[in-house]
Amino acid sequence: MAGTKEAALPMYKGKPLVRSGNVIYYGNPADPFIAMLQVLSNKSFEDLELSDKVSVQILSTDETLHTSQRVIKRTEKAGLYPALQIASIWLERQLQHSKA
């Protein structure tokens, strides 16, 4: 249909970010691995609610594996930015390792 555009996904370091509630998925679902960031707690700063504690997991996208076997790495970080940084590093390393 002419004139219709799909909404562009937010990107971070060339990979899409998709939010569903308190969970943020980072990476391409067609790749063998993605990162899942889950906001566990928030804190108030002036008039804003900021992410305080964030769980980071690198997950396999292989649907033949049991859910518990899909978790490759996990950690918790204080704040969304440090969580996104470690997710980016771990995901890139895991994707490079899977190509080798």
Side-chain angles (χ1 to χ4, degrees), residues 16 26-34 59-63 91 95 98-99:
Y26 172 62
N28 186 344
D31 287 342
F33 302 96
I34 61 168
L59 305 173
S60 170
T61 56
D62 184 356
E63 294 181 4
L91 183 59
L95 290 172
S98 69
K99 290 180 183 177

Side-chain angles (χ1 to χ4, degrees), residues 40-87:
L40 302 174
S41 66
N42 295 313
K43 64 180 174 183
S44 295
F45 177 75
E46 296 179 4
D47 293 338
L48 300 173
E49 283 291 314
L50 302 176
S51 301
D52 185 30
K53 188 188 283 187
V54 181
S55 168
V56 179
Q57 295 181 7
I58 301 300
L59 305 173
S60 170
T61 56
D62 184 356
E63 294 181 4
T64 63
L65 295 175
H66 188 271
T67 307
S68 63
Q69 294 174 322
R70 288 187 185 184
V71 178
I72 307 301
K73 286 187 176 185
R74 71 173 53 177
T75 189
E76 286 185 9
K77 293 292 180 185
L80 185 58
Y81 184 73
L84 199 51
Q85 282 291 95
I86 196 69

